[in-house]
Amino acid sequence: MTGDRPAPSSRPAAGRQPADSDTAWWRRAVIYQVYPRSFADSNGDGIGDLPGLLSRLDYLASLGVDAVWISPFYRSPQDDNGYDISDYQDVDPMFGTLADVDALIAGLHERGMKLIIDVVLNHTSDEHPWFTESRSSKDSPKRDWYWWRPARDGLPAGSPGAEPTNWRSFFSPSAWQLDEATGEYYLHLFSVRQPDLNWENPEVRGALYAMLRWWLDRGVDGFRMDVINMVSKRLPLRDGPPLPGGDGYGDGWASFISGPRIHEFLRELHAEVIAGRDGAPLTVGEMPGVSLDDAAVFTDPASAEVDMVFQFEHVELDRDPSDRLAVRPLRLTSLKASLARWQAGLATAGWNSLYFGNHDQPRAVSRYGSADPAHREASAKLLATVLHLHRGTPYVYQGEELGMTNYPFASADEIADIESRHYYRQAVDAGQDPAQALAALRRRSRDNARTPMQWDASPHAGFTTGTPWLPVNPNYPGINAAAQAGDQDSVLSYYRRLIALRHDLPVVAEGDFTLLLPGDERIWAFTRRLGATELLVVANLSDGPAEDGIPAGRDWAAAELLLSNYPPPAAATLVLRAWEARVYRRSGRAQPPVG
Ligand code: TEU
Ligand code: CA
């Protein structure tokens, strides 16, 4: 007998949940991210599409996930693979039609899953009619919908250093682009083709909210909001501190990360779009550079801003802040400490999202685990165990559940991603050895996550009958969904058990979190507790055996082994094999509530 509250049934039977039955369904949910371009191609043009995704819904249902977050499928010139939107309310013909989205919503709901769409509200495509109108003249009624500024005082437009501020863009040298039509510059924090919307203008916000309501009316269940903590800019726009590199660019972060009106804007969005809606639509804000203090405010239900945020602290630890491509060694102690800090910071109010991978990050198993064939499967399962047993909502990025790895890029020409191409060009122009820059891209490039989903051992991994837009990882004959589906020992089967564990045990979703052995560079260990139920998670992130060294370890020897990526140990030993992870459960006396 445990002291847990009765377990809620793993998933709603079929169809949508009754209105308002469950206002925080996402606290017990696992969310699966689909990058539609790379998931499944239905028509042989080499690009994944919505009919392709529709044909794979049973796969997602069998994994047991509660919701799907899909990266942008809207009309777009595809300068940044759809994060440059030219029509928020239509589907790019490359991906399908609005009728396909309706079918996706229905197909997911029939299977008890929800649909979270990805909305890019900080910028549009330069082909969006709002921007075409805005750039047409200084008197355009939409001029003020974007950030237009004249050249710096005393300098002719277009001359070196005449940009209104010294900010560097994420995907190009300057964050400002001169527009010849009116002789003014527009702001683009990302590519030249992704002009930033001016959220100071209430008409802009009103238009975006109306668009979001239109999607809810259509039946979607929530929004992942791209770089949403960049929408409030600090006025007046000012130069930032110079960046290393000596090219004159500066760091504008202080002017646009969690700017002065960000909480006000998100509250307004919530009030205008989310409040009062049936089914508790989910909002998750992608927030590069967000601080824990801000995240606690953003995600406190009392603030009514967003349900959770994607923070970046743990994915920046192995990154050199002055060189986006460079890799620096990651210590397990820093990674554990970072996640534990967020667990503690959002323990009483607010909520964490949990992720190791997405379409912008290298493959988790190659980065935090071991892609060595001897350890790949065990380490993929270990990473999943550790992540999913934290408190928060776990996200699974497509292919992660198969243990998909980084791609062995042999030449920079194989890389399509705008960010990687920009940094490669910049590094080589600055005199870096191209071989070294390529080596960095091999570890870093976003295309590592964007190679096609590996469905089976047929040509192109069953992703397409044509030529895939990005090559399939050559390891697909050994790493694919078909090979893993019927194998109880596969990474895929392990994910199914792990996801079911969260649905079945309230302690996984709601229990408190205590990190053990914070100074250990090989063992990741922590406990979770809810009422009288306690879990111990122990994992060995090394290629050899390691003793867990937990002082009270012996107390756990008699506990029930709930889940492990190895056969149970012969004796009740706490020596863990290479990349072994274990989850133990025991029930003891109920602890007094904290606080
Ligand atoms: O990413 C936000 C972002 O800051 C990225 O630059 C990210 O940190 C970087 O790519 C990691 O290498 C979001 C989207 O997820 C990304 O795909 C878009 O390119 C970007 O916004 C612009 O919309
Ligand atoms: Ca296609």
Side-chain angles (χ1 to χ4, degrees):
M1 231 355 250
T2 73
D4 286 350
R5 287 172 288 128
S9 65
S10 301
R11 59 168 54 256
R16 307 199 65 165
Q17 298 183 340
D20 293 328
S21 68
D22 186 359
T23 51
W25 58 269
W26 37 267
R27 288 169 73 112
R28 288 180 301 282
V30 176
I31 301 181
Y32 187 92
Q33 184 191 354
V34 167
Y35 195 65
R37 215 176 217 286
S38 305
F39 195 63
D41 174 24
S42 69
N43 61 355
D45 68 354
I47 301 171
D49 46 50
L50 295 176
L53 168 55
L54 278 163
S55 73
R56 298 290 183 175
L57 295 186
D58 287 335
Y59 171 80
L60 300 178
S62 78
L63 191 54
V65 296
D66 304 87
V68 170
W69 147 31
I70 181 169
S71 283
F73 49 66
Y74 318 96
R75 264 189 199 270
S76 159
Q78 302 290 321
D79 188 49
D80 183 20
N81 288 1
Y83 284 88
D84 50 316
I85 299 173
S86 56
D87 185 345
Y88 289 100
Q89 291 171 229
D90 202 0
V91 174
D92 198 279
M94 177 176 107
F95 290 128
T97 63
L98 277 173
D100 293 327
V101 180
D102 293 339
L104 179 61
I105 294 169
L108 286 169
H109 288 175
E110 269 163 31
R111 292 168 177 82
M113 292 179 280
K114 294 176 185 269
L115 180 65
I116 310 302
I117 60 171
D118 199 327
V119 289
V120 186
L121 309 177
N122 177 69
H123 45 267
T124 66
S125 161
D126 63 343
E127 290 185 25
H128 195 291
W130 295 344
F131 187 71
T132 328
E133 168 62 46
S134 181
R135 85 190 314 176
S136 66
S137 93
K138 286 187 187 174
D139 308 320
S140 158
K142 290 212 165 44
R143 186 64 168 179
D144 188 42
W145 281 43
Y146 293 84
W147 295 93
W148 292 99
R149 290 289 186 278
R152 194 179 284 267
D153 267 356
L155 289 175
S159 64
E163 292 87 6
T165 70
N166 66 354
W167 305 348
R168 180 183 279 173
S169 137
F170 290 98
F171 296 163
S172 70
S174 172
W176 294 95
Q177 177 68 21
L178 177 63
D179 194 44
E180 300 293 347
T182 56
E184 288 190 329
Y185 291 81
Y186 65 85
L187 176 68
H188 62 90
L189 296 182
F190 292 88
S191 93
V192 173
R193 307 205 52 194
Q194 292 169 300
D196 281 52
L197 282 164
N198 176 15
W199 275 60
E200 296 296 316
N201 183 334
E203 285 177 24
V204 169
R205 307 201 300 275
L208 293 173
Y209 303 154
M211 176 274 290
L212 296 174
R213 286 192 295 262
W214 182 86
W215 277 110
L216 288 179
D217 292 344
R218 216 168 177 108
V220 306
D221 305 290
F223 305 107
R224 179 266 188 190
M225 303 192 285
D226 195 64
V227 294
I228 196 68
N229 64 330
M230 299 188 191
V231 300
S232 165
K233 273 77 171 171
R234 190 172 297 279
L235 298 170
L237 308 182
R238 282 214 174 97
D239 283 349
L243 284 163
D247 54 8
Y249 292 108
D251 176 1
W253 277 57
S255 294
F256 56 75
I257 296 292
S258 303
R261 299 183 69 186
I262 188 65
H263 294 290
E264 174 199 338
F265 288 162
L266 288 180
R267 263 166 223 173
E268 182 184 74
L269 186 154
H270 187 276
E272 296 273 330
V273 178
I274 305 293
R277 284 275 172 170
D278 284 350
L282 170 72
T283 52
V284 48
E286 190 215 21
M287 300 198 176
V290 69
S291 71
L292 177 52
D293 286 346
D294 268 325
V297 178
F298 285 127
T299 67
D300 184 342
S303 313
E305 295 183 20
V306 293
D307 296 319
M308 61 185 109
V309 305
F310 289 126
Q311 55 96 2
F312 279 63
E313 190 178 283
H314 65 300
V315 293
E316 296 289 339
L317 294 171
D318 59 355
R319 181 165 242 167
D320 181 337
S322 65
D323 177 349
R324 301 278 301 168
L325 269 189
V327 179
R328 55 175 189 189
L330 173 69
R331 298 172 75 87
L332 179 60
T333 44
S334 328
L335 183 61
K336 295 191 294 189
S338 171
L339 289 190
R341 199 174 84 85
W342 282 77
Q343 292 284 299
L346 301 184
T348 48
W351 191 250
N352 271 292
S353 68
L354 306 169
Y355 73 98
F356 280 144
N358 60 40
H359 65 294
D360 292 332
Q361 302 293 333
R363 287 283 175 183
V365 71
S366 300
R367 185 182 195 179
Y368 301 114
S370 168
D372 175 342
H375 302 302
R376 185 187 59 82
E377 290 187 33
S379 73
K381 295 170 187 170
L382 174 149
L383 291 172
T385 310
V386 168
L387 188 75
H388 286 230
L389 267 295
H390 275 70
R391 185 169 189 268
T393 301
Y395 287 76
V396 179
Y397 177 66
Q398 66 183 43
E400 179 189 313
E401 78 280 16
L402 306 175
M404 277 179 61
T405 65
N406 281 355
Y407 183 88
F409 294 104
S411 139
D413 297 337
E414 287 178 306
I415 291 170
D417 168 37
I418 184 170
E419 181 190 57
S420 302
R421 296 181 72 86
H422 166 60
Y423 284 105
Y424 180 80
R425 209 177 308 120
Q426 196 167 264
V428 171
D429 287 353
Q432 207 182 100
D433 173 7
Q436 196 192 327
L438 178 64
L441 282 188
R442 219 176 273 129
R443 294 186 62 175
R444 232 341 142 213
S445 175
R446 306 198 293 183
D447 278 355
N448 281 304
R450 299 176 180 186
T451 63
M453 178 73 175
Q454 294 167 206
W455 292 107
D456 57 41
S458 70
H460 305 307
F463 164 72
T464 181
T465 54
T467 305
W469 72 277
L470 204 61
V472 174
N473 195 306
N475 63 19
Y476 78 88
I479 305 177
N480 65 69
Q484 296 190 23
D487 173 1
Q488 280 314 299
D489 289 332
S490 66
V491 180
L492 177 59
S493 296
Y494 191 87
Y495 264 84
R496 289 178 177 149
R497 292 197 285 277
L498 189 58
I499 292 167
L501 197 67
R502 169 169 293 262
H503 293 146
D504 294 343
L505 299 183
V507 63
V508 176
E510 301 286 350
D512 65 16
F513 176 97
T514 307
L515 183 69
L516 308 175
L517 309 173
D520 196 308
E521 290 293 355
R522 292 193 295 174
I523 302 285
W524 198 336
F526 52 88
T527 55
R528 304 288 310 281
R529 189 193 56 192
L530 184 69
T533 302
E534 256 190 300
L535 301 180
L536 170 69
V537 180
V538 274
N540 169 16
L541 284 85
S542 77
D543 289 350
E547 177 133 23
D548 82 10
I550 294 168
R554 244 167 277 284
D555 303 353
W556 283 93
E560 177 191 0
L561 185 57
L562 275 183
L563 186 69
S564 169
N565 59 352
Y566 268 88
T573 163
L574 287 171
V575 176
L576 299 174
R577 290 156 281 192
W579 297 98
E580 181 169 3
R582 295 186 198 159
V583 182
Y584 288 101
R585 170 170 66 177
R586 69 179 181 195
S587 60
R589 267 164 297 134
Q591 308 279 338
V594 192

